[in-house]
């Protein structure tokens, strides 16, 4: 006969839900940080653009 330990199962399920909620929260934070970093990188690249660079090619034969 199998005896179920209901309180232990309940605690295990609760801990599992908490771990999942924490994981989702950390994932959201890292996604937001990646978006901010991407925006900063885009802004930095836009500021470093030199409009005359690459406009001419010098070729000698």
């Amino acid at each position: 006969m199998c005896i179920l330990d209901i309180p232990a199962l309940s605690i295990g399920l609760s801990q599992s839900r908490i771990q999942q909620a924490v994981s989702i929260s950390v994932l959201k934070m890292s996604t937001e940080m990646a978006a901010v970093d991407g925006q900063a990188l885009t802004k930095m690249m836009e500021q470093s653009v030199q409009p005359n660079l690459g406009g001419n090619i010098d070729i000698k034969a």
Side-chain angles (χ1 to χ4, degrees), residues 15-26:
Q15 288 176 343
S16 175
R17 287 180 181 164
I18 290 170
Q19 288 174 345
Q20 184 179 21
V22 169
S23 295
I24 290 170
S25 208
V26 169

Side-chain angles (χ1 to χ4, degrees), residues 5-61:
D5 188 3
I6 302 298
L9 289 172
S10 177
I11 291 171
L13 181 60
S14 177
Q15 288 176 343
S16 175
R17 287 180 181 164
I18 290 170
Q19 288 174 345
Q20 184 179 21
V22 169
S23 295
I24 290 170
S25 208
V26 169
L27 180 61
K28 284 181 182 179
M29 286 180 1
S30 65
T31 301
E32 290 169 0
M33 288 176 60
V36 169
D37 288 346
Q39 290 171 354
L41 180 60
T42 301
K43 185 176 180 180
M44 184 176 64
M45 290 176 67
E46 287 172 349
Q47 290 175 349
S48 70
V49 173
Q50 297 177 1
N52 298 327
L53 187 63
N56 299 320
I57 300 175
D58 293 332
I59 301 176
K60 292 185 180 180

